[in-house]
Amino acid sequence: DRGARLVARERYGEHQAQTFELFVPEGAPPAGGFPLVAFYHGGGWRNGDPHDYRFIARTLADRGYATALIGYRLVPAGRFPNMLLDSAAGLAAVRKAATEHGANPDRIALMGHSAGAYNATMLALDRRWLADANVPAEAVKGAIVLAGPSDFYPFEKTSSKNAMGHWPNPEETQPVNYARAGAPPLLLVHG
């Protein structure tokens, strides 16, 4: 893992997917600690593994960022809102480990790909998820959304039907409905 050191691999819940890996750049942390990127994997909420995204940790370590690769329960156990509860709980656990390993728990960017980008977007926009996990909203300085769905109701894809089709108020599942002044800055990347 060129340039990135794995400093923690922990569980934050009972389910096998409720894990995180924390990587920091080689060398001493700067004053205040390495800024921290919390990354959530893609996979349509039905598959995927944070381990497959270690290249993100290597790339960000080269630029001076610590990276947490956070797993979350997948469908069926991870149906809405469980993937968001897990994403927030994983972030809370990462924050506890961060200081011990030279990362700054109050200088966080959320990042994700596809379904994981959805998770990151919802944590950035809908205040309840971080609040419920006792993560101060001001610790999140921004979000990087890589090919993340944000306005996809009515559900047309099998993955969104399986993950959210059961929810009695489907509008509550849509990040676009939580866009607000004062939200952390979002970088939306699509291709």
Side-chain angles (χ1 to χ4, degrees), residues 7-188:
V7 294
R9 179 183 291 138
E10 298 180 19
R11 287 179 120 26
Y12 65 86
E14 298 294 322
H15 193 278
Q16 65 184 12
Q18 294 170 316
T19 64
F20 72 85
E21 293 181 329
L22 178 61
F23 294 85
V24 297
E26 296 288 349
F34 296 110
L36 175 62
V37 175
F39 184 87
Y40 302 97
H41 67 84
W45 304 288
R46 69 184 178 285
N47 58 41
D49 186 335
H51 184 82
D52 295 339
Y53 288 87
R54 284 184 162 189
F55 70 93
I56 296 284
R58 288 192 302 270
T59 300
L60 294 176
D62 287 345
R63 288 154 181 82
Y65 294 89
T67 302
L69 304 176
I70 302 173
Y72 53 92
R73 288 175 289 175
L74 303 172
V75 168
R79 291 170 60 187
F80 184 89
N82 291 345
M83 79 281 275
L84 300 176
L85 294 169
D86 286 3
S87 294
L91 183 60
V94 166
R95 287 186 77 244
K96 288 180 183 175
T99 304
E100 177 184 341
H101 298 290
N104 188 330
D106 295 316
R107 196 169 167 207
I108 299 169
L110 304 174
M111 182 179 190
H113 172 247
S114 192
Y118 166 87
N119 296 4
T121 305
M122 285 294 278
L123 293 187
L125 294 178
D126 185 354
R127 297 178 178 133
R128 71 180 137 167
W129 308 114
L130 296 181
D132 288 350
N134 295 314
V135 174
E138 61 274 7
V140 174
K141 306 301 185 193
I144 303 153
V145 180
L146 307 174
S150 60
D151 186 8
F152 54 98
Y153 180 75
F155 304 127
E156 295 175 357
K157 293 188 174 186
T158 302
S159 58
S160 55
K161 288 177 186 176
N162 289 341
M164 297 167 199
H166 68 286
W167 198 247
N169 187 355
E171 290 81 11
E172 291 179 352
T173 68
Q174 301 301 290
V176 69
N177 294 330
Y178 299 97
R180 60 183 167 81
L186 301 175
L187 172 62
L188 307 174

